[in-house]
Amino acid sequence: MSSSKHIENRNDYQTPALVDYIRKAFSPEDTRHQYLLDQMQKNNLPEIQIGASEGKLLQLLIHSCGAKKAVEIGTLGGYSALWIADALPEGGKLYTMEYDPKTAAGTEKALKEVGLSEKVSIVVGDANETLKTIESFGPFDFCFIDADKISYPHYLLWAERNLRPGGIVAADNAYLFGQVHLNPATAGDDAPAISAMQKVIKILTDPSRFSMSAMIPTGEGLAVGIKKPPAE
Ligand code: SAH
Ligand code: MG
């Protein structure tokens, strides 16, 4: 018998070459993805967008719940918005929330250039405030959370209220840069973000609120939950 222990989510197979092969096979990009990435560079935006493999994963989630109406919190250069919008059917709609007006203006232009000005609307301002303004367009089928970590509990509670039963919420960076498991009491400056992410995990894994949940072990951790239908 092998003496090797089962290692959960082992990632030691994931060499750069293997990851590259998988990305090309499952998540090929076209000129629009490259255009948005180029514009991000031009506009001096940080390279903190999701990877193509995560984009495809979001599309899988969107198709699995038949989503037509989606919300994204954290637009940046519109790269994840492109993946999300492509998975929505014709007539589908993505509202994407962006704090920074300059970023939003540049991205609005770029999204128009790739033909998404109708399918995607950028809502400018602090999502803690602006989410209220789109509630009347709900309930929504899918929500992607990818902005300031401290506000994740607020965003998740908003999603819980504004998703239809069976709708899916996905939160990026759920490993909190390798810190999600730490004790906030001894974590110093990062304590508020750690507490916030631990709260998110607590809510998502409560079967009375989300009928199914899992942490998808992407590089950054993608926490996913399906909103529970109300009790009969
Ligand atoms: N989802 C993008 C990356 C988002 S990066 C992609 O994968 O392509 C996070 C973005 O959230 C940044 O553009 C930042 O300006 C924005 N942001 C941060 N705090 C916010 C807030 N309170 N409300 C809305 N957007 C916020
Ligand atoms: Mg992210």
Side-chain angles (χ1 to χ4, degrees):
M1 278 300 283
S2 150
S3 64
S4 76
K5 255 174 59 189
H6 170 72
I7 301 169
E8 191 157 11
N9 301 334
R10 64 186 303 155
N11 63 11
D12 47 349
Y13 300 137
Q14 294 185 31
T15 60
L18 182 145
V19 170
D20 201 45
Y21 172 85
I22 295 299
R23 184 174 46 73
K24 282 184 180 138
F26 282 92
S27 321
E29 297 175 286
D30 61 36
T31 53
R32 300 168 308 151
H33 300 87
Q34 199 49 56
Y35 179 77
L36 293 183
L37 294 172
D38 289 346
Q39 291 307 115
M40 282 178 65
Q41 207 169 33
K42 260 195 171 158
N43 295 331
N44 290 315
L45 296 181
E47 280 182 72
I48 54 171
Q49 73 280 358
I50 58 166
S53 294
E54 283 85 57
K56 192 68 183 296
L57 180 56
L58 295 181
Q59 294 191 332
L60 182 81
L61 295 173
I62 287 165
H63 276 215
S64 72
C65 69
K68 291 192 177 71
K69 270 189 283 179
V71 175
E72 169 177 75
I73 306 165
T75 310
L76 195 68
Y79 181 79
S80 53
L82 172 58
W83 284 97
I84 293 169
D86 275 353
L88 300 174
E90 215 175 289
K93 184 84 191 178
L94 170 65
Y95 299 91
T96 180
M97 326 303 284
E98 174 53 50
Y99 180 79
D100 181 57
K102 203 171 150 220
T103 301
T107 300
E108 187 157 314
K109 232 174 123 199
L111 286 174
K112 189 173 179 192
E113 221 41 60
V114 299
L116 282 177
S117 49
E118 237 177 77
K119 210 173 196 184
V120 180
S121 289
I122 303 181
V123 181
V124 187
D126 182 351
N128 285 287
E129 296 304 322
T130 57
L131 281 168
K132 288 194 231 4
T133 68
I134 62 163
E135 282 178 10
S136 60
F137 304 122
F140 301 96
D141 308 299
F142 181 78
C143 180
F144 178 51
I145 302 173
D146 190 21
D148 53 321
K149 307 312 163 213
I150 214 89
S151 304
Y152 269 36
H154 176 81
Y155 299 151
L156 179 63
L157 293 175
W158 183 89
E160 187 185 19
R161 288 194 309 275
N162 290 280
L163 283 173
R164 63 151 162 93
I168 291 180
V169 60
D172 193 32
N173 308 100
Y175 290 162
L176 200 61
F177 316 105
Q179 301 201 82
V180 68
H181 61 299
L182 300 181
N183 181 353
T186 55
D189 287 354
D190 297 320
I194 293 171
S195 295
M197 201 59 84
Q198 291 180 352
K199 192 170 172 191
V200 161
I201 290 175
K202 194 148 190 227
I203 296 168
L204 270 181
T205 54
D206 178 347
S208 73
R209 307 175 72 165
F210 288 88
S211 55
M212 182 52 66
S213 66
M215 179 72 79
I216 302 183
T218 60
E220 295 287 335
L222 187 73
V224 178
I226 303 179
K227 181 176 161 170
K228 190 183 161 73
E232 296 282 306

